Amino acid sequence: MSAQASKQDRASDHDLPEFRDPPLAEVVLGIQFDPLVGMAAAHMDAIWELFRQTFPRTEDRQPLLATFERFDPPPEPGAVQWNLDLFARPSLPRCWFINDSGDELLQLQQDRFLHNWRKVKSQPEYPRYAHLRQSFEEEVEALRRFAAHNGIGVVKPNQCEITYINHIVAGAHWREHWQAARVFRPLADADAGPFSARPEHVRWETAFVMREDDGEPRRRLHVSVVSGFIQEGGAPMFAMTLTARGAPICDELTDIMGFLDLGHRWIVRSFADLTTEAMHAAWGRKTR
């Protein structure tokens, strides 16, 4: 995607669905790249210093598996084909750099870099996509400069991703999981079980190919809905996750950010398309 196309996408964001009180719980912007083979633990400490003023706290986690969207030719009859390729974890840990309020963090490992926003009680307001986008663009550029200056490898993205996680808690419009059709349009028959029994648990997954202007498939939007209960109080809830992921056309920063802009639009529009008008009213959908 060109820089001009990216600007056009952002300029037209005013036509995206918008809600006064959306059920958004977490947003993730990220890139996956070829492993930085020259990276050592000392380099990860030095990278933290780049962001330490904003993200003064750290935690170590298990590295994430590498994930690739594949668009290979259809398999032979009877063969099994998966859309994702998963590879071995990097040898170094995944480091979290966390801000003081705990609502934003960076995740760094040998082959991945992500920026998370998550809803916390002390900071309930989502800072909006434009804010996270600008921060992530600056952070990626800082990481690329560091890697080049210190000779640990080239940050050359092979996948970009953007994820929105929504926690939809039971309320006036639905009270039990079998009423999923009151929340999600595609689940109109979720309450039609054997002998008219009501389902105890709901799990739904689907994916959409995000084709380019030339018709080539390079990215997908993954959508999942899983029923559960919130930790405090145990009220029923649905976790709805939307992830746009795929390969950038080139490794230029403008193309990386252009993909995130495209993924953002797909996610916001799909969230509105897949949820019901009754829930839109509950979340205060704004009229244009």
Side-chain angles (χ1 to χ4, degrees), residues 37-264:
V37 294
M39 179 181 280
H43 293 118
M44 301 190 85
D45 288 341
I47 293 171
W48 177 38
E49 291 296 331
L50 299 176
F51 308 113
R52 187 170 182 173
Q53 184 173 356
T54 305
F55 301 94
R57 298 159 47 200
T58 65
E59 294 181 13
D60 285 348
R61 300 295 176 102
Q62 284 288 330
L64 300 168
L65 292 169
T67 305
F68 293 87
E69 297 291 333
R70 297 295 189 188
F71 297 92
D72 300 321
E76 295 295 327
V80 176
Q81 183 184 40
W82 301 95
N83 289 333
L84 304 181
D85 280 354
L86 304 177
F87 295 87
R89 289 187 176 92
S91 57
L92 291 174
R94 172 169 47 121
C95 292
W96 280 15
F97 309 148
I98 311 168
N99 68 357
D100 283 326
S101 60
D103 65 329
E104 291 190 47
L105 63 96
L106 304 180
Q107 301 187 61
L108 172 69
Q109 63 184 52
Q110 278 181 295
D111 64 353
R112 193 169 295 193
F113 185 66
L114 307 106
H115 186 132
N116 295 54
W117 170 86
R118 51 191 182 179
K119 188 173 184 178
V120 297
K121 288 184 177 181
S122 60
Q123 300 285 336
E125 292 298 325
Y126 171 47
R128 312 301 294 181
Y129 170 72
H131 165 78
L132 296 182
R133 181 194 191 280
Q134 179 178 351
S135 298
F136 185 66
E137 184 173 18
E138 295 169 356
E139 292 152 3
V140 170
E141 183 58 30
L143 177 63
R144 296 179 79 164
R145 288 197 304 267
F146 179 93
H149 180 75
N150 290 275
I152 61 175
V154 178
V155 178
K156 185 176 182 180
N158 51 49
Q159 298 283 279
C160 302
E161 63 183 271
I162 175 171
T163 295
Y164 275 52
I165 302 173
N166 300 275
H167 289 173
I168 304 171
V169 182
H173 294 278
W174 72 279
R175 297 187 182 280
E176 299 182 55
H177 291 135
W178 65 269
Q179 297 170 317
R182 300 184 183 183
V183 184
F184 306 104
R185 296 177 191 268
L187 301 185
D189 296 325
D191 59 346
F195 311 110
S196 298
R198 294 170 175 175
E200 178 184 24
H201 177 69
V202 175
R203 185 180 185 91
W204 177 69
E205 294 182 359
T206 191
F208 304 89
V209 175
M210 301 166 60
R211 294 187 180 275
E212 303 297 323
D213 291 339
D214 58 9
E216 290 297 317
R218 295 189 181 92
R219 297 112 184 224
R220 283 188 183 89
L221 175 70
H222 296 269
V223 183
S224 71
V225 172
V226 180
S227 60
F229 300 88
I230 61 174
Q231 291 183 349
E232 296 182 8
M237 58 89 72
F238 292 109
M240 183 185 190
T241 302
L242 302 97
T243 297
R245 182 192 300 114
I249 297 175
C250 66
D251 61 355
E252 295 294 330
L253 188 57
T254 53
D255 188 60
I256 295 168
M257 303 313 298
F259 170 77
L260 296 180
D261 293 338
L262 178 66
H264 169 250

